[in-house]
RNA sequence: GCGAGUGUUACCGAGAGGCCAAAGGUGAUCGACUCAAGAUCGAUUCCCGUAGGGGUUCGCAGGUUCGACUCCUGCCACUCGCACCA
């Protein structure tokens, strides 16, 4: 009767969610109230939401609900990021019937078949899942203002992005440059690491070609160490490889076919004119102005797929070259070639490569230690090496300087070009084709490398509130580390660059200031995009100019709405976005908005695990939020997600723990229902009331600091455990006083941000009108905090624990417990010891007292005992014992019947002075001597 | 490899110089209720102990201190990021 079970509650939730007033309950407009604007990184709706996403949106929801109850005007908006190319790939795969993709959408995301068919249109995917996201978010009770929903490809938003880039361009923050990218010639598109089948860890390395002159052509050798040209003794060519002659940028060159292919991808004119076997060149002479004539020697280790396929040999400093030369010379050939040292490095003799090889005991090229030896020599020379006199004008320079200088000389004087390649092979596109390094030469960049811009962002970071505070250093490091960012793409969905329509603005670059767009999103949806000129946005966001084509009243409304909400108070996101999105948005805000509108705070989330394993849609290791809500209930899912770990910690979804969360909610409902029957008063009511005030204080502070777990610990488990003790202390068969009704009233509000559905229903049952979402957050009543009664109760609990621990080890069933209370002079000792500046001097001090001295050894013992006791007590408790008044005799007399019942014994309370028991001397303040019989 | 972080008792997770054998939750065991199961409630859950005590623990190895889970050094393991990708 009147009890709601979980299943009833579920019906309630369903009703509540389909009730449209619930949906509009959180539409939020400027008001006289203080505002609180929080927002989250919006989702890319290419698939269904899982519990990891769930937490990302539920945590801010709890915070939003908390501040709303505290009287703030809260804005929590949501939109969908639709820019980019992933859905294009997905729709192509679905269109061609790729089984893995279709299975993912059909089986895991449970998309109906006819809808999957429509997914050959990429827009259909994002539209479907945007609606799905909204549906599930509403189901979960997220307190979002849905009027402000948009996607990033609507014309109005594009106009907003145009405004943003218009400014960035004028500020010189968007510049054109060449940029090497991983590229798939088959897809005719740059490929990101996630697009790769193999080689996703491969780095792009920049080599320089050193051109050696042969009879009627050049032989380029790729190197990272152009300074070693002074020590070249020969070239290596693979005699078993067919090389090509090619016209490269108008010059005849000989190189491997692979190298020719690669060069053609790197903005070089390459036409192949013939072939030549490597063996045919062995023994011939080539020359370079900086090293003179050298011979071409055969080497099987030369890989045509590395560099140009021909290698310049510096045996004095390159262990591979040294060993290869040695091998040849063992058979008596080329014994006239000697290593030519050009670098001196501390810790090595004249020929570092030889030394390192000998030291490592390497005697042939295939030794696995070779890579390590090479690394060692390179590192030593790079960090400590200096060029020798043989290097002419570069003599004496550190290697790291000479390297750059010589590269420049090569480029300028000797026609060298840069050559890009991967550090590891192979690199294969998802389509199965080999990927190459490709030079995009008209790519647009955001100049994040600009030192002045970085400096300004660092300055903002100093002022921002970070949760948790440790992430601040990570932001600073990211700012330092950022280079220019290629901000445009050829393919995908998005906004075109206003001044260069061939390019689209890339997804991470069109999502940096949309928090400002939210503030007006619901009001500009009806304005034709053509009217939304940069001047209009200047007026709205910067309060500048006199735009035509839109009436002033509208403009002023938009302007004031923006100014009401901005700057935002907190942005929430998972920690993996620190190194790009979260930092980018600081850069953009800094570039576009004045000081007073800069971001104020950021909350960074941990990651989600599912039964201890990382969640991953592609591996099928996900649990959909919708399914979770179905199986466990919305509030259970919410409570688990915000309560199992603090937001910034990783959380692990484990079904067994989730089930017990559900029981906890049921228990809570039970307590609230029981409270309705409570009437009258009891002695311990004041204690419960006092504790409750403290719970309110801690729960409130916790939520202010985004500690959802801590808040739940206090607001649920803390109150529950108080309640358990309270009921234990109630006289037998008493139902509990009307204090329980007050507690219920507070409790329901405290948990409302976390489990809103349950609390909303209970709130109504408790006789309140209106949704709990807008109920007042409980204020602690200082008048109800009663330290003395809490102290008295503390004495009881400690004594109960002591009796229990004695009872546990005695081998008989007790029938009587004697409590021997310490005499009042011991309390005096306790207090004086506790408050003494120097505890070692206490004995002396106390013994000055005539009354003490009369007690002699007894007093000295008491001082020692008290010192030990104080040492083992929490400092706060010691302070209370010193400052508050309490009468142990009264406290125990009042608790006697409780103790008798609790232990099924008779209780005798006696003061130490009256007792002759041997233990009577053990009695101390707050620690009576206990005798169990 | 580089950058940022983390490592606590069966598990998850508090604790940040003496309050600590270390909160809370989960699981497990025992007991109460019940015809029974479930739910709920109570107790126990590092080792020893016929008295509220003692012993060994907080990734590993050292160090500072009267005293370290807490501070310092080194090592090991794990997580996140490392770029054009949401």
């Amino acid at each position: 009767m009147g009890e709601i079970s979980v299943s009833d509650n579920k019906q309630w939730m369903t009703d509540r969610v389909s009730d449209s007033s619930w949906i509009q309950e959180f539409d939020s407009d400027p008001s006289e109230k203080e505002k609180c604007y929080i927002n989250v990184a919006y989702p890319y709706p290419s698939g269904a939401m899982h519990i990891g996403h769930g937490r990302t949106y539920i945590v801010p929801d709890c915070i939003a609900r908390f501040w709303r109850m505290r009287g703030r005007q809260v804005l929590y908006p949501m939109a969908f990021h639709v820019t980019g190319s992933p859905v294009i790939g997905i729709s192509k795969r679905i269109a061609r019937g790729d089984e893995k993709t279709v299975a993912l959408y059909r089986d895991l995301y449970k998309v109906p078949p006819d809808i999957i068919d429509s997914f050959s249109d990429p827009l259909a995917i994002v539209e479907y899942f945007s609606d799905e996201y909204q549906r599930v978010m509403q189901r979960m009770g997220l307190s979002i203002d849905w009027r402000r929903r948009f996607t990033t490809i609507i014309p109005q938003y594009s106009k907003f992005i145009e405004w943003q880039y218009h400014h960035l361009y004028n500020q010189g923050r968007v510049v054109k440059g060449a940029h090497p990218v991983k590229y798939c010639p088959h897809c005719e598109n740059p490929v990101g690491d996630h697009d790769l089948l193999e080689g996703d860890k491969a780095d792009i390395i920049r080599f320089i070609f050193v051109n050696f002159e042969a009879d009627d052509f050049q032989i380029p050798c790729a190197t990272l160490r152009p300074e070693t040209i002074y020590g070249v003794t020969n070239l290596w060519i693979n005699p078993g490889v067919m090389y090509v002659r090619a016209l490269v940028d108008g010059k005849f060159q000989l190189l491997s076919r692979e190298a020719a292919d690669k060069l053609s991808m790197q903005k070089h004119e390459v036409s192949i004119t013939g072939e030549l076997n490597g063996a045919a060149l062995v023994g011939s002479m080539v020359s370079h102005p900086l090293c003179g004539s050298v011979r071409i020697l055969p080497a099987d280790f030369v890989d045509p797929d590395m560099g140009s396929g021909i290698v310049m040999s510096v045996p004095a400093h390159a262990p591979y070259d040294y060993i290869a030369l040695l091998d040849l010379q063992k058979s008596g050939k080329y014994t006239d070639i000697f290593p030519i040292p050009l670098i001196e490095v501390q810790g090595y003799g004249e020929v570092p490569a030889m030394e390192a090889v000998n030291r490592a005991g390497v005697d042939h090229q295939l030794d696995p230690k070779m890579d390590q030896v090479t690394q060692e020599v390179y590192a030593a020379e790079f960090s400590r090496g200096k060029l020798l006199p043989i290097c002419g004008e570069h003599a004496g320079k550190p290697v790291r300087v000479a390297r750059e200088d010589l590269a420049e000389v090569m480029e300028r004087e000797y026609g060298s070009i840069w050559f890009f390649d991967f550090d590891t092979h192979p690199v294969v596109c998802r389509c199965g084709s080999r990927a190459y390094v490709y030079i995009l030469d008209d790519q647009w960049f955001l100049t994040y490398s600009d030192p002045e811009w970085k400096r300004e962002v660092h300055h903002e970071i100093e002022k921002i509130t970070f949760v948790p505070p440790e992430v601040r250093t990570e932001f600073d490091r990211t700012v330092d580390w950022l280079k220019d960012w290629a901000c445009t793409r050829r393919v995908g969905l998005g906004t075109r660059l206003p001044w260069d329509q061939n390019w689209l603005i890339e997804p991470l670059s069109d999502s940096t200031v949309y928090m400002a767009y939210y503030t007006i999103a619901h009001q500009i949806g009806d304005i034709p995009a053509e009217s939304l000129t940069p001047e209009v946005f200047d007026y709205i966001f910067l309060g500048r100019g006199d735009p035509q084509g839109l009436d002033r009243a509208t403009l002023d409304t938009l302007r004031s709405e923006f100014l009401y909400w901005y700057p935002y108070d907190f942005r929430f996101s998972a920690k993996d976005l620190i190194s790009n999105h979260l930092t980018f948005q600081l850069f953009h805000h800094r570039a576009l908005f004045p000081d007073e509108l800069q971001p104020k705070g950021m909350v960074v989330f941990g990651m989600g695990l599912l039964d201890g394993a990382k969640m991953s849609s592609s591996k099928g290791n996900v649990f959909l939020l919708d399914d979770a809500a179905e199986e466990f209930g919305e509030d259970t899912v919410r409570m688990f997600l915000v309560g199992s770990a603090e937001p910034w910690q990783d959380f692990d979804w484990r079904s067994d723990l989730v089930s017990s969360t559900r029981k906890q909610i049921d228990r809570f409902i039970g307590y609230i229902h029981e409270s309705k029957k409570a009437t009258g008063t009891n002695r311990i009511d004041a204690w419960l009331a006092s504790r409750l005030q403290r719970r309110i204080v801690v729960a409130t502070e916790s939520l202010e600091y985004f500690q959802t777990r801590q808040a739940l610990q206090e607001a649920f488990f803390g109150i529950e455990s108080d309640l358990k003790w309270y009921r234990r202390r109630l006289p037998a068969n008493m139902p509990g006083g009307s204090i329980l009704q007050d507690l219920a009233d507070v409790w329901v509000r405290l948990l409302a941000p976390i489990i809103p559905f349950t609390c909303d229903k209970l709130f109504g049952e408790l006789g309140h009108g209106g949704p709990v979402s807008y109920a007042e957050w409980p204020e602690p009543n200082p008048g109800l905090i009663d330290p003395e009664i809490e102290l008295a109760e503390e004495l009881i609990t400690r004594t109960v624990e002591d009796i229990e621990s004695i009872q546990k080890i005695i081998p008989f069933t007790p029938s009587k417990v004697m409590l021997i209370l310490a005499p009042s002079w011991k309390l005096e000792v306790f207090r004086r010891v506790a408050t003494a500046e120097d505890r070692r001097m206490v004995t002396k001090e106390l013994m000055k007292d005539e009354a003490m001295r009369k007690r002699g050894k007894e007093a000295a013992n008491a001082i020692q005992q008290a010192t030990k006791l104080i040492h083992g007590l929490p400092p706060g408790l010691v302070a209370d014992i010193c400052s508050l008044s309490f009468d142990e005799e009264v406290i125990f007399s009042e608790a006697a019947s409780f103790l008798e019942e609790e232990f099924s014994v008779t209780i005798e309370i006696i003061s130490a002075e009256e007792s002759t028991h041997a233990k009577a001397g053990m009695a101390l303040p707050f620690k009576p001597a206990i005798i169990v019989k």
Side-chain angles (χ1 to χ4, degrees):
Chain A
M1 38 175 244
E3 303 275 314
I4 46 172
S5 69
V6 166
S7 54
D8 289 339
N9 209 29
K10 190 170 167 182
Q11 185 54 48
W12 157 259
M13 290 180 186
T14 313
D15 294 348
R16 202 69 179 82
V17 165
S18 53
D19 172 3
S20 65
S21 70
W22 169 260
I23 302 306
Q24 287 158 20
E25 199 168 309
F26 305 105
D27 290 356
S28 191
D29 293 311
S31 76
E32 302 78 56
K33 291 196 260 181
E34 191 182 344
K35 65 93 188 180
C36 174
Y37 177 15
I38 65 174
N39 57 68
V40 202
Y42 48 23
Y44 183 79
S46 64
M49 219 191 325
H50 59 64
I51 48 175
H53 300 122
R55 190 171 79 141
T56 305
Y57 303 110
I58 289 166
V59 171
D61 181 64
C62 293
I63 302 302
R65 286 172 173 276
F66 167 67
W67 285 109
R68 206 175 279 121
M69 291 177 72
R70 294 195 80 195
R72 297 277 178 90
Q73 188 70 20
V74 173
L75 176 57
Y76 181 25
M78 188 61 61
F80 297 100
H81 196 203
V82 163
T83 319
S85 53
V87 282
I88 293 178
I90 293 165
S91 80
K92 277 186 189 153
R93 267 174 270 146
I94 287 181
R96 96 169 95 92
D98 176 76
E99 193 38 49
K100 210 173 150 225
T101 310
V102 173
L104 179 69
Y105 281 78
R106 184 188 55 214
D107 305 334
L108 186 63
Y109 298 155
K110 302 191 192 71
V111 182
D114 54 318
I115 298 199
I116 292 191
D117 292 343
S118 74
F119 281 2
S120 48
D121 174 9
L123 279 178
I125 302 177
V126 288
E127 276 163 16
Y128 175 79
F129 284 110
S130 300
D131 288 345
E132 270 297 290
Y133 261 75
Q134 179 169 355
R135 199 200 97 233
V136 178
M137 284 173 165
Q138 284 174 337
R139 166 177 202 174
M140 296 311 299
L142 300 190
S143 57
I144 289 166
D145 180 348
W146 285 106
R147 297 171 305 165
R148 298 170 192 262
R149 169 183 163 171
F150 62 89
T151 69
T152 53
I153 53 171
I154 60 168
Q156 288 85 352
Y157 187 79
S158 281
K159 286 292 173 183
F160 169 71
I161 296 300
E162 284 177 17
W163 166 79
Q164 177 185 1
Y165 276 80
H166 165 82
H167 280 287
L168 293 171
Y169 186 59
N170 289 341
Q171 292 171 353
R173 301 191 198 274
V174 189
V175 299
K176 215 173 208 187
H179 182 55
V181 293
K182 292 176 185 173
Y183 184 85
C184 172
H186 180 255
C187 304
E188 296 184 5
N189 212 39
V191 283
D193 285 346
H194 56 281
D195 296 323
L196 295 172
L197 224 48
E198 246 183 292
D200 59 324
K201 285 278 174 286
D203 264 335
I204 294 174
I205 312 196
R206 196 174 77 144
F207 298 88
I208 191 157
F209 267 0
V210 177
N211 296 329
F212 290 85
E213 299 289 340
D215 293 343
D216 55 350
F217 52 81
Q218 289 179 338
I219 295 183
C221 295
T223 182
L224 292 167
R225 312 180 67 191
E227 77 283 6
T228 60
I229 182 68
Y230 293 106
V232 172
T233 58
N234 61 283
L235 302 192
W236 299 114
I237 198 163
N238 191 324
V241 166
M242 187 63 83
Y243 289 80
V244 298
R245 289 164 174 279
L247 197 56
V248 178
D249 298 336
K251 281 180 261 178
F252 281 105
Q253 295 196 328
L254 182 105
L255 67 177
S256 71
R257 184 172 289 279
E258 289 87 341
D261 288 346
K262 290 174 191 171
L263 273 182
S264 68
M265 301 270 180
Q266 296 174 18
K267 296 291 168 201
H268 294 288
E269 283 294 322
V270 181
S271 58
I272 293 172
T273 58
E275 289 189 323
L276 189 59
N277 202 310
L281 284 161
V282 171
S284 54
M285 300 296 288
V286 295
S287 70
H288 189 281
L290 295 180
C291 70
S293 281
V294 295
R295 239 173 303 177
I296 301 180
L297 304 186
D300 294 333
F301 69 82
V302 174
D303 180 354
D305 202 10
M306 286 287 283
S308 66
I310 301 145
V311 180
M312 67 184 216
S313 166
V314 187
H317 301 284
Y320 271 107
D321 295 339
Y322 174 76
I323 286 277
L325 186 61
L326 215 59
D327 278 358
L328 278 181
Q329 292 178 340
K330 273 185 200 151
S331 53
K333 292 181 201 158
Y334 310 114
T335 49
D336 57 332
I337 297 180
F338 300 99
I340 305 173
L342 72 133
I343 296 167
E344 97 183 309
V345 57
Q346 186 196 340
Y348 291 89
E350 261 191 273
V351 185
M354 178 182 76
E355 252 185 74
V357 161
N358 291 344
R359 238 184 262 166
V362 172
D363 59 357
H364 61 280
Q365 295 170 33
L366 302 176
D367 192 302
K369 286 199 289 286
M370 278 303 288
D371 280 337
Q372 197 192 321
V373 172
T374 300
Q375 259 311 307
E376 173 202 323
V377 175
Y378 278 29
E381 294 183 349
F382 181 71
S383 55
R384 311 193 296 272
K386 285 207 170 58
L387 298 215
L388 291 167
I390 191 178
C391 305
E393 57 175 309
H394 301 287
K397 286 185 184 174
V399 167
R400 66 175 78 213
V401 175
R403 186 163 297 175
E404 283 173 27
D405 292 353
L406 270 149
E408 203 204 313
V409 169
M410 292 279 183
E411 207 182 350
R412 199 178 57 229
E413 314 257 327
Y414 307 114
S416 285
I417 56 171
W418 294 101
F419 175 80
F420 297 89
D421 205 351
F422 301 121
D423 61 346
T424 57
H425 292 98
V427 178
V428 182
C429 175
R430 216 141 54 178
C431 78
S433 312
R434 176 169 178 172
Y436 288 87
V437 179
Y438 185 83
I439 302 291
L440 290 171
D441 64 348
D442 50 356
Q443 173 65 269
W444 290 95
F445 289 88
L446 281 162
T447 59
Y448 294 139
S449 67
D450 175 10
E452 179 54 22
W453 203 0
K454 285 187 187 223
R455 200 190 55 72
E456 290 173 353
V457 174
H458 275 304
H459 187 62
E460 288 308 319
I461 288 174
E462 283 174 31
K463 295 184 281 183
I464 291 172
T465 304
F466 287 100
V467 179
E470 303 89 82
V471 298
R472 173 178 265 111
T473 55
E474 212 173 334
F475 276 91
D476 274 324
R477 298 304 301 219
T478 302
V479 171
D480 289 338
W481 160 88
L482 272 175
K483 296 189 283 219
D484 287 351
W485 180 265
C487 63
T488 53
R489 287 302 106 83
R490 290 291 189 195
V491 294
L493 304 173
T495 302
R496 294 194 176 275
L497 206 57
W499 62 87
D500 187 349
Q501 296 280 316
N502 295 321
W503 289 104
L504 289 153
I505 295 166
E506 164 279 335
L508 282 174
S509 303
D510 82 342
S511 57
T512 54
V513 288
Y514 66 95
M515 313 74 167
Y517 186 86
Y518 276 131
T519 64
I520 55 166
H522 57 313
Q523 299 189 23
I524 73 167
D526 297 332
I527 301 175
E530 310 83 78
S531 315
L532 295 170
T533 57
E535 291 72 33
V536 166
F537 286 114
D538 273 353
Y539 189 87
I540 299 170
F541 295 125
L542 305 173
R544 236 191 244 162
D546 179 20
Q548 304 302 310
L550 209 56
D551 69 274
R552 185 53 63 105
T554 307
L555 284 168
D556 286 336
T557 308
L558 295 172
R559 169 79 179 149
S560 67
E561 174 114 18
F562 169 69
L563 282 180
Y564 178 73
W565 296 114
Y566 239 61
Y568 69 72
D569 294 273
F570 279 97
R571 179 157 183 78
F572 294 69
S573 165
K575 66 178 168 190
D576 53 350
L577 294 188
I578 294 176
S579 66
N580 48 51
H581 166 74
L582 288 176
T583 304
F584 289 4
Q585 53 111 25
L586 294 179
F587 274 89
H588 286 251
H589 271 90
R590 188 57 274 183
L592 293 165
F593 295 106
D595 290 353
E596 66 277 13
L597 300 182
Q598 297 300 308
K600 287 167 73 180
M602 269 186 269
V603 182
V604 176
F605 289 141
M607 313 300 283
L609 300 174
L610 179 55
D611 289 318
K614 213 184 290 186
M615 260 183 284
S616 153
S617 310
S618 55
K619 287 181 194 134
N621 188 45
V622 285
F623 192 28
L624 299 189
L625 189 55
D626 205 30
D627 294 342
E630 200 59 42
E631 186 174 342
F632 296 99
E634 289 79 356
D635 275 344
T636 303
V637 172
R638 289 178 63 106
M639 178 156 150
F640 180 81
L641 288 175
V642 306
S644 66
E646 297 295 5
W648 46 90
Q649 297 171 323
D650 295 347
F651 78 96
D652 188 5
W653 177 278
R654 283 181 27 209
S655 294
D656 53 339
L657 295 185
V658 181
S659 309
S660 60
T661 300
R662 182 177 180 154
K663 289 180 203 158
Q664 287 153 3
I665 295 177
D666 280 344
R667 232 152 59 214
F668 167 65
I669 294 169
Y671 293 131
I672 300 300
H673 283 156
E674 256 176 68
S675 76
K676 292 183 201 163
K677 295 177 235 152
T679 51
T681 52
N682 295 285
R683 278 205 50 80
I684 357 80
D685 289 0
W687 174 83
L688 185 63
S690 182
R691 297 284 292 184
L692 182 61
Q693 307 315 308
R694 299 189 189 273
R695 300 295 183 192
I696 295 171
V697 171
V698 179
T700 305
E701 280 174 359
S702 302
L703 284 175
E704 283 172 353
Y705 292 108
F706 306 92
Q707 297 169 336
T708 53
R709 178 190 158 85
Q710 176 69 35
L712 190 66
Q713 289 283 324
E714 275 309 302
F716 182 72
F717 298 106
I719 292 178
E720 187 185 35
S721 88
D722 289 346
L723 208 48
K724 280 184 179 169
W725 177 253
Y726 172 81
R727 295 160 129 201
R728 195 171 161 188
R729 289 283 274 120
L730 240 29
N733 304 320
M734 289 294 287
S738 58
I739 173 72
L740 290 181
Q741 294 188 11
D742 302 338
L743 180 135
D745 211 68
V746 167
W747 206 2
V748 165
R749 295 166 204 249
L750 285 179
L751 291 177
I754 296 172
I755 46 172
F757 293 102
T758 303
C759 291
D760 207 33
K761 169 146 186 164
L762 292 172
F763 194 63
E765 289 179 1
L766 291 177
H768 296 285
V772 77
S773 323
Y774 287 91
E776 245 176 79
W777 185 257
E779 280 290 324
N781 178 351
L784 291 177
I785 295 181
D786 186 339
E788 287 181 3
I789 198 161
E790 287 189 48
L791 184 65
E793 210 52 27
E794 178 76 25
L795 177 57
I796 300 296
T797 52
R798 284 179 173 266
T799 306
V800 166
E801 278 163 24
D802 278 353
I803 298 173
E804 277 171 348
S805 65
I806 295 167
Q807 201 181 27
K808 214 163 38 182
I809 48 174
I810 54 173
F812 56 91
T813 308
S815 60
K816 182 177 177 186
V817 171
M818 268 170 73
L819 297 175
I820 305 175
L821 308 184
S824 56
W825 66 267
K826 280 198 181 174
L827 180 58
E828 179 61 20
V829 170
F830 182 101
R831 286 178 171 164
R832 289 187 59 176
V833 171
T835 53
E837 304 239 326
D838 183 349
R839 281 184 192 160
R840 282 166 300 184
M841 300 302 287
V842 171
T843 311
K844 217 179 226 173
E845 281 295 313
L846 274 169
M847 284 312 182
K848 286 182 186 158
D849 191 307
E850 177 66 22
M852 277 310 160
R853 213 165 42 233
K854 266 201 334 223
R855 299 183 196 280
K857 195 160 185 201
E858 199 187 3
N861 280 345
I863 293 167
Q864 270 188 8
Q865 290 169 336
T867 308
K868 196 177 171 204
L869 177 61
I870 287 164
H871 205 63
L873 253 25
L877 180 58
V878 172
D880 283 348
I881 294 171
C882 292
S883 62
L884 301 174
S885 72
F886 64 100
D887 183 334
E888 293 195 6
E889 178 147 14
V890 172
I891 292 167
F892 281 115
S893 305
E894 282 173 355
S897 59
F898 160 68
L899 293 173
E900 288 182 340
E901 196 135 329
E902 192 74 7
F903 296 103
S904 307
V905 293
T906 56
I907 295 281
E908 188 182 346
I909 299 157
I910 182 168
S911 77
E913 276 119 335
E914 294 161 25
S915 172
T916 53
H917 197 281
K919 283 204 148 228
M922 298 284 287
L924 285 170
F926 230 71
K927 199 165 180 65
I930 298 166
I931 293 135
V932 178
K933 288 182 178 163

